[in-house]
Amino acid sequence: MDNAQTAGPVRIGLIVGSTRPGRRGGEVARWAAQVAQEHDAVRRGAATVAVVDLAEQALPLLDEPVPAMFGDYRNAHTLRWSDTVAGFDAFVFVTPEYNHSVPAALKNGIDYLYAEWNGKAAGVLTYGVQGGSRAGEHLRQILAEVRAVVVPTGVALTVFTDFDFSGADPGDPTAPGRIAPAAEREAGLDRMLTEIVDRSRERTSGGPLVGASGPDAAR
Ligand SMILES: Cc1cc2nc3c(=O)[nH]c(=O)nc-3n(C[C@H](O)[C@H](O)[C@H](O)COP(=O)(O)O)c2cc1C
């Protein structure tokens, strides 16, 4: 496993945490990728951004005999997922709220690996009927356990205010709406990306990046 962190551009993976047909997650990730492409660090070539879709990984429910922290992977799908995640220096987790937590697919995808998350900066972008903040809080706890370093700024999109349902049948529960976030959401995502790039740079230069035992663990 070539676990990224080089002196080159900070490679940021936008992990799409929902997998269901008709999900809003794809749209949210596309919006996030667009905002990221306009970020100063990306425009300068100091960072790159790529979408990582858990639906495409099609991971079964965790079927590794050895816990991920031992790094003794047996299955081809785990090795593939490990290579994918190891290729990034940092992450933005794009997650909806499902029953006050993260989707099972996202928890499963995180549980598969360990070293591939360690010490890397992570941002939390949630969405849900109420912004997905409870999923965000769970995700912060989960990421602390795999020693990712969650940056302070989070972004929360609310389905009924950050999506546009004009023209949709109000009685249709599958209508995804079009993403139309309030301006401050974009500003928040921009700030989150700045924090991610700064933290990743501190890691490369051996600076004061703190792990799960440091003050960030409590966020
Ligand atoms: C199984 C399930 C549980 C949900 N639970 C919550 C919830 O607890 N709180 C909330 O605000 N929204 C909840 N929602 C609404 C979702 O956050 C919203 O539909 C979001 O678009 C789902 O993400 P997805 O479209 O990418 O699957 C739930 C949706 C689903 C499918």
Side-chain angles (χ1 to χ4, degrees):
M1 175 185 59
D2 175 21
N3 210 5
Q5 191 59 70
T6 64
V10 177
R11 288 168 287 183
I12 304 170
L14 301 183
I15 298 188
V16 188
S18 70
T19 55
R20 70 180 182 93
R23 63 187 171 167
R24 294 191 177 93
E27 266 272 288
V28 177
R30 264 190 299 281
W31 168 75
Q34 270 173 18
V35 173
Q37 292 304 335
E38 296 303 316
H39 188 277
D40 178 57
V42 175
R43 291 172 76 99
R44 283 187 290 110
T48 63
V49 175
V51 172
V52 181
D53 191 347
L54 270 175
E56 287 172 10
Q57 296 291 326
L59 291 167
L61 281 176
L62 181 62
D63 60 355
E64 283 291 335
V66 182
M69 63 178 56
F70 295 98
D72 181 10
Y73 304 142
R74 309 288 171 90
N75 297 314
H77 52 258
T78 313
L79 292 166
R80 207 167 41 239
W81 178 227
S82 166
D83 280 348
T84 299
V85 174
F88 291 99
D89 302 304
F91 307 95
V92 174
F93 287 85
V94 178
T95 184
E97 180 167 298
Y98 284 179
N99 297 319
H100 290 200
S101 190
V102 295
L106 177 56
K107 178 67 163 58
N108 189 50
I110 294 170
D111 291 347
Y112 257 99
L113 307 177
Y114 184 71
E116 296 83 347
W117 309 116
N118 283 192
K120 296 182 182 176
V124 174
L125 194 178
T126 60
Y127 56 100
V129 175
Q130 295 168 329
S133 56
R134 293 160 297 212
E137 288 308 306
H138 276 185
L139 181 56
R140 285 176 173 82
Q141 292 178 30
I142 295 162
L143 292 175
E145 190 54 22
V146 293
R147 309 300 191 256
V149 181
V150 179
V151 298
T153 299
V155 176
L157 304 180
T158 300
V159 168
F160 292 118
T161 56
D162 291 310
F163 288 79
D164 175 7
F165 288 92
S166 53
D169 174 356
D172 178 3
T174 66
R178 281 183 304 280
I179 188 162
E184 62 265 27
R185 310 283 187 242
E186 188 168 326
L189 180 54
D190 205 65
R191 194 160 55 245
M192 176 201 286
L193 291 164
T194 299
E195 292 168 1
I196 287 173
V197 171
D198 289 351
R199 294 267 172 161
S200 301
R201 286 280 168 244
E202 286 168 10
R203 180 176 178 229
T204 316
S205 63
L209 188 66
V210 285
S213 58
D216 283 357
R219 287 213 173 88

